[in-house]
């Protein structure tokens, strides 16, 4: 079982490495360095002007520590098929879970150490602590994370009936109980408390788990959610096949959808419009880009910059919409229905035109509010109109023709 | 003659799964496509519905091939897949409407048919449901309703009997019978041989990408006299020859 976990871990790390290389591209690293540099500078300025023994300082420290303690989730790497294939090995699974906890613990403790390192000058200045006190708190925080991960592993078993020990409220409660006496009285108290809690949960679990069933379904769900969170993050930078997006009914949009008349030539528009508005993947993309564009345009001043930015955002939206054309390729009826590819392309072009026109109109209104000069507002209107027309009517059909050809 | 498959060689890649198969389905006839897993039933169906293009040979439906006029060809076909596939973002009502739009049906007439079918398959109170909320059997019923909504001349049904409750199987068989009376043809693949034996007019026995035999039950019995009476026996004996 230990071996199984290590095999999976290796595969997992390889996959993560592949995506991380894509995330940390030159541009992003550059931006990140700037961002961190600015943040560091701001923090050191605040520290310089800080007076000792502020009443609010322990509250800030408490909040930072509690949130930090939740960093680093329990990564089991278990898969859906495990509840069938590993069921006969249920007892042996504990060794697997222990290995998984070890791995999660290492990652989580690294995160704790980094945050504690950053927090140390604050504790020294604002709380006026000695180095010894800080070290005690750091150790307490590390043991706290150890205990929280014990709650996670205990929740893998049906030890506590229907109650889940890994509920976030339980974790926050434990963190508060441990940290409050430490921050307001002496960190020594935190240290003693958490040591007691950790050892107690450890002994309690050791005694109980051999008699209990594993909550397979729940563990698989937790792991799936964890991975989905990671994939969603990667999806911001690159395409991740595992992120499919979800579907929401959005009944309030039915009025818009009813505008598509149910006739033969509109079949694909009927399908695409519903897919677009109810699926979260592409609609989310369009809304995110439009909102970011609007915010940016609201704060940007200048003659040419707003025109350029609006054009850029419309291009980004139009470009990202293209893969939606193939959204239904794996539904056999898309091919069986007596419809032609020309009809499909025509409907898609119509959809793109509408979406881009709405986005362009919204961006233009913001330009009108933020930069109400004839040159900027008029110029952007002309540029946007030409761009929407070109993207939707010329560029999109050309790209789709190529996509259809590759379809074979 | 409704469907004519003639000397088709084809498959998913360059390696052919189907090795020169020929058979036909007449108007008002229910033909059973019988074969083991991997015999080539689904590949045959995928060729007929136009998902795959034959390497060699032709598939003609009432005188039209897909290459000549794909819309006229597809207009005549309704397909019920083995594994139900639905558009995740459309409700049941919208699936029906989409089918009507795609086949360019008269909405009033089609909805009248639809309501009748929905009632038969006990889906009439689930019109606003999303596919995610349907069980596998219900999804299969949605496929059936969508297919029988159309006025297709050829129904292609891939393994309909697994996953449906006995009541629905019976209702489906009655629907097939009614459409047969109206002159439509049906090509159906299945493993449920005793049902096939009772309802199919003719059988095409596929084995290893080839048509082993075809004909009515009595023709098959005459061709393989020592095999036994039932379709099951005939089929088993046919595959046994190959195994030894």
């Amino acid at each position: 079982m230990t071996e199984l976990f290590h095999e999976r871990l290796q595969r997992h790390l390889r996959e993560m490495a592949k995506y991380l290389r894509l995330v940390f591209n030159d541009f992003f690293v550059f931006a990140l360095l700037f961002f961190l540099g600015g943040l560091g500078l701001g923090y050191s300025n605040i520290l310089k002007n800080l007076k000792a023994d502020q009443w609010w300082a322990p509250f800030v420290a408490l909040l930072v520590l509690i949130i930090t303690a939740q960093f680093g989730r329990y990564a089991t790497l278990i898969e859906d098929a495990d509840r069938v294939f590993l069921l006969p090995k249920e007892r042996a699974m504990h060794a697997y879970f222990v290995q998984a906890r070890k791995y999660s613990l290492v990652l989580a403790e690294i995160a704790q150490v980094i945050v504690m390192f950053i927090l140390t000058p604050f504790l020294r200045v604002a709380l006026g602590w000695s180095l010894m006190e800080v070290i005690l708190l750091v150790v307490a925080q590390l043991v706290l994370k150890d205990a929280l991960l014990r709650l996670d592993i205990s929740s893998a078993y049906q030890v506590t009936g229907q109650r889940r020990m890994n509920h976030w409220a339980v974790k926050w409660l434990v963190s508060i109980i441990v940290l409050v006496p430490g921050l307001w009285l002496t960190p020594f108290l935190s240290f003693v408390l958490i040591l007691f809690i950790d050892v107690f949960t450890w002994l309690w679990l050791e005694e109980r788990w051999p008699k209990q069933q594993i909550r397979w379904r729940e563990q698989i769900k937790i792991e799936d959610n964890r991975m989905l969170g990671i994939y969603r993050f990667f999806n911001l930078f690159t395409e991740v096949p595992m992120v499919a997006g979800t579907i929401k009914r959005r009944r309030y949009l039915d009025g818009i959808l009813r505008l598509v008349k149910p006739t033969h030539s509109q079949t694909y528009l009927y399908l695409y419009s519903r897919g677009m508005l109810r699926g979260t993947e592409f609609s989310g993309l369009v809304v995110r880009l439009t909102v970011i564009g609007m915010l940016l345009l609201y704060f940007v001043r200048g003659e040419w910059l707003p025109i350029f930015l609006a054009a850029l955002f419309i291009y980004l939206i139009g470009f990202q919409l293209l893969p939606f054309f193939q959204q239904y390729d794996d539904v056999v009826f898309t091919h069986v229905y007596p419809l032609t590819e020309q009809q499909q392309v025509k409907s898609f072009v119509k959809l793109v035109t509408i979406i881009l026109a709405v986005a362009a109109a919204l961006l233009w209104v913001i330009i009108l509010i933020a930069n109400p000069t004839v040159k900027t507002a008029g110029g952007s209107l002309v540029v946007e109109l030409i761009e929407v027309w070109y993207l939707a009517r010329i560029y999109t059909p050309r790209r789709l023709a190529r996509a259809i050809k590759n379809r074979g | 003659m409704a469907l004519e498959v003639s000397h088709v060689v084809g498959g998913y890649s360059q390696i052919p799964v189907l090795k020169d198969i020929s058979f036909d389905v007449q108007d008002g006839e229910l033909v059973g496509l019988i074969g083991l897993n991997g015999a080539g039933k689904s590949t045959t169906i995928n060729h007929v519905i136009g998902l795959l293009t034959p390497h060699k040979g032709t598939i003609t439906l009432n005188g039209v091939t897909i290459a000549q006029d794909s819309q006229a060809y597809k207009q005549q076909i309704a397909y019920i897949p083995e594994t139900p596939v639905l558009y995740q973002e459309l409700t049941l009502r919208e699936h029906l409407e989409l089918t009507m739009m795609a086949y360019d049906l008269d909405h009033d007439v089609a909805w009248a048919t639809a309501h009748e079918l929905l009632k038969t398959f006990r889906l009439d109170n689930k019109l606003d449901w999303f596919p995610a909320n349907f069980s596998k059997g219900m999804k299969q019923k949605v496929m059936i309703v969508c297919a029988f909504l159309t006025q297709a001349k050829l129904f292609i049904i891939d393994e309909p009997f697994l996953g449906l409750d006995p009541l629905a199987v019976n209702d489906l068989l009655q629907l097939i019978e009614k459409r047969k009376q109206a002159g439509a043809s049906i090509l159906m693949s299945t493993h449920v041989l005793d049902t096939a034996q009772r309802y199919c007019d003719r059988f095409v026995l596929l084995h290893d990408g080839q048509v082993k035999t075809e004909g009515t039950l009595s023709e098959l019995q005459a061709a393989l006299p020592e095999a036994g009476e039932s379709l099951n026996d005939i089929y088993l004996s046919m595959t046994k020859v190959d195994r030894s």
Side-chain angles (χ1 to χ4, degrees):
Chain A
M1 280 299 148
T2 315
E3 217 164 275
L4 176 71
F5 180 77
H6 285 293
E7 242 167 63
R8 285 204 181 158
L9 182 60
Q10 255 172 25
R11 202 174 55 201
H12 176 70
L13 290 180
R14 261 203 304 276
E15 196 192 359
M16 292 300 109
K18 188 186 89 188
Y19 282 118
L20 283 175
R21 257 203 306 276
L22 293 169
V23 171
F24 287 101
N25 54 37
D26 297 346
F27 175 73
F28 183 69
V29 169
F30 198 61
L32 202 67
L33 281 179
F34 259 89
F35 184 69
L36 288 179
L39 228 56
L41 201 67
Y43 182 55
S44 75
N45 277 337
I46 292 173
L47 282 177
K48 258 179 228 154
N49 300 322
L50 210 59
K51 290 190 195 80
D53 293 329
Q54 300 285 340
W55 64 268
W56 48 262
F59 286 100
V60 173
L62 179 67
L63 195 68
V64 171
L65 291 178
I66 290 177
I67 292 172
T68 308
Q70 319 304 322
F71 285 177
R73 288 195 275 175
Y74 180 38
T76 54
L77 304 179
I78 61 176
E79 294 164 20
D80 197 21
D82 288 349
R83 67 192 159 96
V84 178
F85 287 96
L86 296 184
L87 193 61
K89 285 258 175 211
E90 194 158 24
R91 285 287 149 259
M93 277 304 281
H94 193 68
Y96 179 97
F97 282 137
V98 168
Q99 283 303 315
R101 202 185 84 97
K102 258 186 211 158
Y103 162 69
S104 312
L105 191 65
V106 170
L107 280 191
E109 298 296 26
I110 291 174
Q112 309 298 315
V113 168
I114 292 172
V115 175
M116 293 306 288
F117 184 72
I118 296 169
L119 197 66
T120 301
F122 178 81
L123 292 172
R124 300 265 293 170
V125 175
L127 291 167
W129 277 15
S130 70
L131 197 64
M132 196 55 216
E133 284 174 306
V134 173
I135 289 172
L136 264 178
L137 188 73
V138 171
V139 175
Q141 176 82 5
L142 294 183
V143 182
L144 171 65
K145 187 66 219 181
D146 187 64
L148 292 184
L149 278 170
R150 248 184 244 296
L151 292 182
D152 281 315
I153 202 173
S154 79
S155 75
Y157 296 93
Q158 299 173 349
V159 210
T160 45
Q162 284 306 304
R163 266 170 301 163
R164 282 177 297 141
M165 296 300 282
N166 64 338
H167 195 270
W168 67 268
V170 178
K171 289 182 176 174
W172 276 66
L173 192 72
V174 172
S175 311
I176 290 172
I177 290 173
V178 169
L179 291 169
V180 165
L183 286 167
W184 270 272
L185 300 169
T186 161
F188 185 66
L189 267 177
S190 289
F191 178 69
V192 172
L193 264 171
I194 191 58
L195 216 57
F196 177 73
I197 292 175
D198 198 30
V199 170
F200 177 78
T201 42
W202 173 51
L203 292 176
W204 181 71
L205 187 65
E206 281 301 303
E207 190 221 340
R208 300 269 180 127
W209 73 261
K211 300 169 203 139
Q212 301 291 341
Q213 315 297 312
I214 294 175
R215 291 183 213 260
W216 287 102
R217 275 170 198 281
E218 206 161 301
Q219 283 304 302
I220 289 163
K221 215 169 92 190
I222 291 171
E223 179 63 12
D224 279 352
N225 281 338
R226 195 186 71 87
M227 287 311 290
L228 191 68
I230 295 175
Y231 287 139
R232 282 227 179 98
F233 171 72
F234 289 149
N235 203 36
L236 296 175
F237 301 90
T238 175
E239 287 217 355
V240 182
M242 286 66 112
V243 178
T246 49
I247 290 138
K248 302 225 165 76
R249 178 66 179 87
R250 292 180 179 151
R251 208 175 279 276
Y252 51 90
L253 294 173
D254 281 5
I256 300 172
L257 292 174
R258 243 172 262 133
L259 295 176
V260 181
K261 292 274 166 296
T263 59
H264 180 61
S265 60
Q266 304 263 57
T267 311
Y268 272 111
L269 191 59
Y270 185 94
L271 179 62
Y272 277 138
S273 57
R274 279 164 176 76
M276 178 56 75
L277 290 182
R278 288 176 189 164
T280 54
E281 195 185 352
F282 283 92
S283 61
L285 202 82
V286 172
V287 170
R288 267 200 305 276
L289 279 173
T290 312
V291 170
I292 293 172
M294 284 164 78
L295 283 175
L296 212 57
L297 285 172
Y298 185 77
F299 292 111
V300 157
R301 294 286 175 276
E303 273 186 0
W304 296 106
L305 194 57
I307 300 180
F308 170 73
L309 280 178
L312 179 71
F313 272 91
I314 292 169
Y315 170 74
L316 284 178
I317 295 170
F319 187 73
Q320 309 254 34
L321 280 177
L322 287 172
F324 188 61
F325 183 72
Q326 279 120 315
Q327 181 84 347
Y328 300 107
D329 272 12
D330 53 350
V331 178
V332 64
F333 291 98
T334 313
H335 310 281
V336 173
Y337 283 149
L339 297 162
T340 60
E341 273 157 359
Q342 289 92 310
Q343 283 172 325
Q344 190 180 3
V345 171
K346 226 173 131 189
S347 285
F348 191 77
V349 165
K350 210 167 180 179
L351 180 86
V352 171
T353 313
I354 294 168
I355 291 172
L356 289 185
V358 171
L362 288 171
L363 294 176
W364 191 69
V365 168
I366 299 297
I367 290 180
L368 216 54
I369 295 168
N371 290 289
T373 63
V374 179
K375 210 173 176 183
T376 308
S380 62
L381 184 64
V382 173
V383 169
E384 283 186 4
L385 280 175
I386 295 174
E387 190 186 11
V388 170
W389 168 78
Y390 179 79
L391 268 182
R393 304 270 151 170
I394 312 285
Y395 181 71
T396 304
R398 243 184 239 166
R399 283 291 300 266
L400 297 187
R402 219 183 305 161
I404 288 169
K405 224 163 139 200
N406 290 341
R407 199 192 268 172
Chain B
M1 189 178 294
L3 176 73
E4 187 173 8
V5 176
S6 111
H7 300 291
V8 166
V9 176
Y12 298 90
S13 59
Q14 280 314 78
I15 305 143
V17 177
L18 304 180
K19 300 154 190 163
D20 192 41
I21 64 162
S22 302
F23 64 89
D24 57 35
V25 183
Q26 306 286 341
D27 285 336
E29 192 181 38
L30 169 54
V31 171
L33 199 57
I34 316 290
L36 295 178
N37 297 330
K41 300 187 301 291
S42 293
T43 315
T44 307
I45 285 176
N46 281 336
H47 273 100
V48 175
I49 62 176
L51 275 193
L52 298 173
T53 318
H55 303 164
K56 265 184 226 150
T58 54
I59 298 170
T60 334
L61 184 52
N62 291 317
V64 203
T65 68
I66 207 156
Q68 284 163 2
D69 187 345
S70 75
Q71 213 173 349
Y73 181 92
K74 287 178 177 175
Q75 185 80 38
Q76 305 182 60
I77 287 184
Y79 171 54
I80 302 176
E82 180 183 4
T83 318
V85 273
L86 291 154
Y87 293 104
Q88 295 303 317
E89 301 96 340
L90 299 192
T91 62
L92 171 53
R93 183 193 308 278
E94 287 162 351
H95 273 96
L96 300 178
E97 202 154 55
L98 190 76
T99 311
M100 293 173 201
M101 290 163 78
Y103 286 89
D104 207 3
L105 305 173
D106 182 293
H107 279 243
D108 296 333
V109 179
W111 267 116
T113 321
H115 282 302
E116 219 172 282
L117 289 168
L118 289 170
K119 200 163 253 162
T120 311
F121 290 103
R122 285 163 292 131
L123 290 170
D124 47 342
N125 54 352
K126 301 183 177 65
L127 272 169
D128 290 314
W129 285 28
F130 269 140
N133 304 325
F134 284 124
S135 72
K136 193 207 166 220
M138 284 184 202
K139 285 184 193 166
Q140 221 171 333
K141 288 175 181 176
V142 174
M143 301 276 88
I144 295 171
V145 172
C146 284
F148 282 94
L149 207 59
T150 68
Q151 299 300 320
K153 295 205 181 86
L154 174 67
F155 289 86
I156 292 152
I157 311 176
D158 199 353
E159 188 54 88
F161 301 122
L162 302 181
L164 283 182
D165 59 64
L167 195 60
V169 168
N170 195 42
D171 289 330
L172 174 65
L173 288 169
Q174 273 176 15
L175 267 179
I176 292 175
E177 189 58 38
K178 214 157 79 185
R179 286 300 166 104
K180 253 173 62 179
Q181 301 294 323
S185 326
I186 293 112
L187 177 66
M188 179 175 82
S189 91
T190 183
H191 287 300
V192 186
L193 295 183
D194 51 337
T195 313
Q197 182 180 344
R198 263 183 292 148
Y199 289 91
C200 292
D201 302 307
R202 221 145 47 80
F203 305 91
V204 174
L205 269 63
L206 278 183
H207 193 71
D208 201 17
Q210 284 165 319
V211 177
K212 268 271 146 128
T213 37
E214 64 162 317
T216 61
L217 188 61
S218 48
E219 280 169 2
L220 295 184
Q221 284 163 347
L224 295 153
E226 68 275 29
E229 282 292 298
S230 70
L231 183 62
N232 204 28
D233 295 337
I234 295 170
Y235 187 69
L236 286 180
S237 80
M238 195 191 81
T239 52
K240 225 173 271 161
V241 176
D242 215 68
R243 253 195 273 176
S244 57

